[in-house]
Each structure stands twice: as structure tokens, then as C-alpha cells.
Amino acid sequence: MSKANYGKSIKLLQVVNWRRNIMAEKSIIILDTNFIIEHISDLHELHQKLSENNIVYITEISINERISQKYLELKSKYEKIETFIKDYSAYATIKLKDTFSNRFEAEKQRTIDVYVKEFGDNIISFTPDVDALKIVMDRVYKKRAPFSNKERASDKGFKDTLIWMSIIQYFKEYKEDIGIIFITNDNGFLNSSDLLKLEFAEITGKTIEIKD
């Protein structure tokens, strides 16, 4: 574990302990995409530690973001290989072991399998429908958090909004009364945490803390 990640892990455990001191009960912890990516090397260890006294969730959108990141990484490698083949085709015959499409599909499935094995049923799914699309578009037009309300921000915050909607959708149906902590370092959430916490409470009847 790097020093930076070690520091972030300690900070996270402090947040969890802070919440536990208030609630004197277990909490639900939801890990945002950036946390998952920053802790690729020690996610299992950290998950085990957090799960000793809490229920730890991730979102399906976060898994999809990780898959998207891997897609771009793999695409970049294949583009470099294709350029190399083009530049040196007069000197050597180079054959790819597999197509980009096949390699990506295999990597995509491996990624899904890793997170399903790690988190099991504690993956918050998101099933978009016509109503969900209308809500997203309404938030775009109104620049409603976690969309950025800065001028020329365009659609910045789209994936954050999907994550937020999936969390609300899930806990709207969640029966148990339990403290919830959403761990993120995304300013789309942090800068509008008060508004988001109010929205969450109004729709789900539950409280959520948004912590870095």
C-alpha cells in the first residue's frame, strides 16, 4: 500500500469510527468510484476491515466506470501496437494474439467477476427507465447536484448523478433503519452535500453522511 493510500485508509477508518460513536451501531458504507480506483491494490484488505462492524456497498455504475477505464487503457495499447505494425511492416511480420474486441470482453467479464466475488449482493444496481431518463435530463437543465452549476460545465456530473440516483432508488426500498455513509472525494458530491443529504432524507426517510 502506498503512503498516500495508507493515509486515505486511516482517514476512512476515522470517519467510520466517528459515525459509530454517534450511532453506537453498525453503519452502511458506500464506496464511490474514485475510492475503488485509488485502492485497487488493497481493496480486499480494506473491505475486510470495514466489514468487521459495517455493511459495505459499491454501485453498479462504479463497476461500469472501472470497466470504461480499462476499455480506454486497452484501446490505447492496441492503438500503439497498430502504429508500430504500420511503421515496421516492411521489416517484420507482427501478428496479434487476439482482437481488441475479444480481449476487452474477457477483461470486462473478469472485472465484473472480481467485484461480484468481493461484494456479493452488496452491489447497488441501477435499472434506467423512461422516468429515470426524464429525471436525469431535468437535473441537467437545472444544473442540480451532483451536476456542476458552473458556467460552461456542460454535462459534467452525469455519472455522479446516475450513482446518486441509484443510491436513492435502493435506499428508498431499504427497510432497516441504519446510518449510511457515502465515501467520496468528488467535489460534485462534497460541494453540495447539504442539498444532497436533504434530498436523500426527503425521498428515503433516512439520513446519509457524505464524507471525504
Side-chain angles (χ1 to χ4, degrees), residues 83-143:
T83 299
F84 184 86
I85 292 174
K86 182 179 179 181
D87 290 344
Y88 295 95
S89 59
Y91 307 99
T93 300
I94 303 170
K95 184 178 180 180
L96 291 170
K97 292 183 178 180
D98 206 348
T99 65
F100 168 78
S101 178
N102 288 343
R103 286 294 297 272
F104 171 67
E105 286 303 319
E107 186 62 33
K108 176 182 177 180
Q109 191 57 54
R110 275 196 296 269
T111 302
I112 293 171
D113 291 344
V114 164
Y115 288 112
V116 169
K117 181 180 179 181
E118 184 68 38
F119 293 92
D121 293 332
N122 293 350
I123 297 174
I124 299 173
S125 63
F126 180 62
T127 307
D129 54 22
V130 174
D131 289 336
L133 180 59
K134 289 179 179 178
I135 293 171
V136 171
M137 295 309 298
D138 184 64
R139 296 183 89 111
V140 172
Y141 299 144
K142 295 178 180 178
K143 298 297 181 183

Side-chain angles (χ1 to χ4, degrees), residues 11-212:
K11 185 176 181 180
L12 173 60
L13 293 174
Q14 288 172 342
V15 168
V16 173
N17 288 334
W18 164 83
R19 181 63 176 176
R20 193 182 300 130
N21 289 336
I22 294 175
M23 300 294 295
E25 296 176 354
K26 67 181 178 181
S27 298
I28 284 178
I29 299 173
I30 309 167
L31 305 178
D32 194 15
T33 309
N34 44 40
F35 182 91
I36 294 169
I37 293 173
E38 289 169 0
H39 290 276
I40 289 174
S41 62
D42 64 331
L43 184 61
H44 176 71
E45 178 185 355
L46 193 53
H47 179 217
Q48 293 296 106
K49 182 66 177 176
L50 292 173
S51 296
E52 290 176 2
N53 297 295
N54 305 280
I55 306 170
V56 184
Y57 283 81
I58 61 170
T59 68
E60 182 183 2
I61 301 297
S62 290
I63 296 175
N64 289 339
E65 284 195 70
R66 181 69 182 119
I67 291 171
S68 176
Q69 184 185 53
K70 288 194 172 187
Y71 174 90
L72 294 175
E73 291 171 355
L74 186 63
K75 190 171 187 295
S76 176
K77 290 178 181 178
Y78 266 75
E79 287 175 346
K80 289 178 182 178
I81 293 171
E82 289 170 359
T83 299
F84 184 86
I85 292 174
K86 182 179 179 181
D87 290 344
Y88 295 95
S89 59
Y91 307 99
T93 300
I94 303 170
K95 184 178 180 180
L96 291 170
K97 292 183 178 180
D98 206 348
T99 65
F100 168 78
S101 178
N102 288 343
R103 286 294 297 272
F104 171 67
E105 286 303 319
E107 186 62 33
K108 176 182 177 180
Q109 191 57 54
R110 275 196 296 269
T111 302
I112 293 171
D113 291 344
V114 164
Y115 288 112
V116 169
K117 181 180 179 181
E118 184 68 38
F119 293 92
D121 293 332
N122 293 350
I123 297 174
I124 299 173
S125 63
F126 180 62
T127 307
D129 54 22
V130 174
D131 289 336
L133 180 59
K134 289 179 179 178
I135 293 171
V136 171
M137 295 309 298
D138 184 64
R139 296 183 89 111
V140 172
Y141 299 144
K142 295 178 180 178
K143 298 297 181 183
R144 186 175 177 184
F147 277 107
S148 174
N149 60 7
K150 292 182 179 179
E151 189 176 354
R152 298 179 181 177
S154 185
D155 61 350
K156 182 176 175 56
F158 180 79
K159 286 181 287 189
D160 289 343
T161 296
L162 295 182
I163 288 174
W164 183 245
M165 288 176 62
S166 70
I167 292 172
I168 287 180
Q169 186 181 68
Y170 183 84
F171 286 101
K172 184 179 179 181
E173 305 299 327
Y174 196 86
K175 302 303 182 184
E176 187 178 353
D177 186 14
I178 187 171
I180 304 166
I181 308 172
F182 180 43
I183 303 297
T184 180
N185 62 13
D186 192 306
N187 287 332
F189 292 112
L190 296 174
N191 292 342
S192 303
S193 61
D194 288 342
L195 289 174
L196 292 171
K197 287 190 290 186
L198 180 61
E199 177 186 20
F200 187 86
E202 289 176 345
I203 296 175
T204 69
K206 301 175 179 64
T207 60
I208 189 170
E209 295 294 337
I210 301 174
K211 294 290 181 179
D212 183 0

